[in-house]
Amino acid sequence: MNRTKDAALRERALKVIPHGMYGHQSVRILPAGFPQFFEKAEGAHVWDVDGNRYLDFMCAYGPNLLGYKDERVDAAARAQAEIGDVMTGPSPLMVELAETMVEMVDHADWAMFCKNGTDATTMAMSSARAQTGKRIVLVAKGAYHGAAPWCTPIPAGTVPEDRAHLKGYDYNDVASLEAAVAEAGDDLAAIFASPFKHDAFIDQEAPEPAYARRARELCDETGAMLIVDEVRAGFRLARGSSWTQLGVQPDLSAWGKCFANGHPISALLGSNRCREGAGSIYATGSFWLSAVPMAAAIETLRIIRESDYLEQSERLGTRLREGLDAAAKKHGFTLRQSGPVQMPQIMFADDADFSVGYAWTQEMLARGFYLHPWHNMFLCAAMTESDIEDTIAAADDAFAALAGKLDEIPPHPLMTAMAAASA
Ligand code: PMP
């Protein structure tokens, strides 16, 4: 594949951007050949700067729910852009959007809007502390809640005091949660949970109902706030709160990524139990109230309510999982596929350093399919049955290319080091 323009941009970037790129969209720990820079996106596809087209299973790491450049959503955004976007105060859309989300999400009595998932999770944490007057916040070990000092997975630039009152428990492990709550004593402000365990590098886990219910009870017993971080999985598992199907309602939930189909907006929703706390924190940002993403969100939420996007992604995801499994087996590979089918995690058995996963995703990339070796992926509603059949056929071809060559695959040094560190 031609990578001339990507290589030239990386060289220029190195001079004017630290490391040339930062954060989770950096391809520094992806297999060689993954493009860093993209030119355009449409429907279920992205094009890199060298003009290579990929069926995109990362969906911008989540924001693409209905398809890139969805005409219904973008027309609503354009119409609002003609009238006003960032202004001295919010547009009426803020109230309409809050009403819409409160209507759709069972536990929500109110909404506040911001830009990124980290804004919403950080506001959730502060609101819980403000409401309870307590300090300790429990998070599942290994869970990602954002890039602020209190929760970043990479401690560079933070001090221990930033997370002095952040304590860990094991997801789905009631005894571990109870022990962490007991240790917090009378200083527990909140328990964070993600809708399912969607950590990178590991098999994904559905929430055990007993764990979710116990988290609720412990919050009720102690006065702490239960917070579900819906930033990644929100509206991909349900048309409302992800834990409603478990019969558990949180006090606060953080939303982001996909509810405006790629337009920049996130939200903190909450029940009346935390209304005073949320209202008392200083929450603001220059661009938080911009009207264009709110128009996009209102239209996206209408489509979420009225279309079969969810059932379609489940149907296609199920076919993808079965097809990949069969293709892998045919060539002597065993896949570890986990997570909801519409948010698949695909790894290989006996592949601690991810070298087989790296080699396979490289083969898929060369065939025009953008997959990830260790992060959960996403299906979008613009994907078709033939896209999925094409993916399975390409996978079959990629497995065939790799079979018999496993001894020649070099371990990836960074991944080897990380696998050893987490073992
Ligand atoms: N929480 C979860 C579960 C996430 O997946 C993410 C982003 N990957 C965040 C919070 C932070 O969101 P953002 O990158 O928009 O700040």
Side-chain angles (χ1 to χ4, degrees):
M1 264 180 173
N2 179 17
R3 295 261 179 267
T4 326
K5 288 188 182 161
D6 194 72
L9 278 167
R10 288 189 200 212
E11 214 174 293
R12 280 169 56 198
L14 270 178
K15 294 187 187 128
V16 289
I17 296 166
H19 293 305
M21 181 59 202
Y22 42 83
H24 71 284
Q25 290 106 335
S26 167
V27 296
R28 273 198 299 163
I29 57 171
L30 278 179
F34 268 66
Q36 182 66 77
F37 295 98
F38 292 88
E39 185 86 60
K40 62 173 186 172
E42 193 170 335
H45 290 90
V46 286
W47 283 256
D48 68 22
V49 284
D50 289 290
N52 304 301
R53 172 182 181 262
Y54 309 96
L55 185 65
D56 177 22
F57 283 96
M58 286 316 289
C59 290
Y61 283 81
N64 175 20
L65 178 72
L66 304 173
Y68 291 112
K69 284 175 64 183
D70 182 276
E71 187 41 36
R72 300 158 294 182
V73 176
D74 288 4
R78 278 196 304 275
Q80 183 58 40
E82 290 293 318
I83 309 173
D85 187 14
V86 178
M87 299 182 277
T88 302
S91 88
L93 295 183
M94 183 183 189
V95 182
E96 186 182 340
L97 180 56
E99 287 168 346
T100 304
M101 296 191 91
V102 164
E103 177 73 32
M104 289 176 73
V105 175
D106 293 336
H107 61 268
D109 294 314
W110 52 263
M112 294 167 81
F113 300 104
C114 35
K115 278 290 145 225
N116 287 291
T118 305
D119 300 333
T121 56
T122 302
M123 270 162 60
M125 183 266 295
S126 303
S127 301
R129 284 181 173 156
Q131 181 70 40
T132 60
K134 314 255 173 94
R135 293 179 296 180
I136 293 179
V137 172
L138 300 184
V139 293
K141 290 174 203 159
Y144 185 71
H145 294 299
W150 71 272
C151 58
T152 171
I154 312 265
T158 68
V159 294
E161 288 81 356
D162 289 326
R163 51 178 82 213
H165 304 291
L166 191 76
K167 307 286 178 199
Y169 69 90
D170 295 317
Y171 194 90
N172 266 344
D173 183 335
V174 170
S176 146
L177 182 61
E178 286 174 340
V181 169
E183 193 155 327
D186 63 1
D187 203 12
L188 183 65
I191 299 176
F192 263 88
S194 33
F196 66 98
K197 188 172 168 70
H198 48 42
D199 307 359
F201 304 111
I202 59 163
D203 298 329
Q204 314 289 277
E205 267 179 51
E208 300 285 348
Y211 150 71
R213 281 197 296 266
R214 191 69 186 123
R216 180 66 269 169
E217 281 167 13
L218 288 165
C219 285
D220 291 341
E221 285 164 20
T222 59
M225 298 294 136
L226 179 61
I227 303 170
V228 174
D229 178 353
E230 299 266 13
V231 171
R232 194 180 312 180
F235 296 124
R236 288 192 178 268
L237 310 181
R239 290 180 174 82
S241 181
S242 295
W243 276 14
T244 291
Q245 51 200 344
L246 301 174
V248 175
Q249 299 296 342
D251 303 298
L252 292 162
S253 53
W255 302 73
K257 292 196 187 276
C258 79
F259 75 84
N261 202 47
H263 291 266
I265 184 164
S266 59
L268 175 65
L269 306 186
S271 71
N272 284 333
R273 197 162 178 256
C274 201
R275 187 189 284 260
E276 287 308 314
S280 71
I281 64 168
Y282 187 63
T284 182
S286 298
F287 301 102
W288 280 17
L289 306 182
S290 57
V292 167
M294 293 191 183
I298 289 167
E299 181 61 6
T300 304
L301 292 169
R302 183 191 68 75
I303 297 167
I304 286 175
R305 287 195 306 278
E306 294 177 8
S307 77
D308 70 344
Y309 80 102
L310 186 54
E311 293 70 26
Q312 184 197 330
S313 66
E314 283 169 345
R315 197 171 59 244
L316 295 187
T318 302
R319 170 66 192 132
L320 180 68
R321 185 160 292 181
E322 288 165 3
L324 290 180
D325 229 22
K329 281 204 181 85
K330 185 172 141 195
H331 297 285
F333 294 93
T334 305
L335 290 181
R336 278 164 44 200
Q337 302 198 73
S338 62
V341 291
Q342 64 273 38
M343 293 179 68
Q345 172 88 309
I346 305 179
M347 303 189 298
F348 285 76
D350 305 319
D351 189 30
D353 70 358
F354 294 90
S355 56
V356 182
Y358 270 40
W360 182 67
T361 48
Q362 269 172 325
E363 292 284 345
M364 291 300 285
L365 193 77
R367 288 163 177 78
F369 299 84
Y370 193 108
L371 297 163
H372 203 290
W374 46 257
H375 192 287
N376 82 267
M377 292 174 268
F378 305 86
L379 271 63
C380 73
M383 287 177 179
T384 62
E385 276 163 27
S386 78
D387 286 331
I388 298 302
E389 294 310 321
D390 290 350
T391 309
I392 295 166
D396 187 85
D397 207 39
F399 289 130
L402 283 183
K405 283 204 308 192
L406 286 184
D407 295 345
E408 296 164 34
I409 297 174
H412 189 278
L414 186 55
M415 293 315 307
T416 313
M418 286 182 70
S422 66

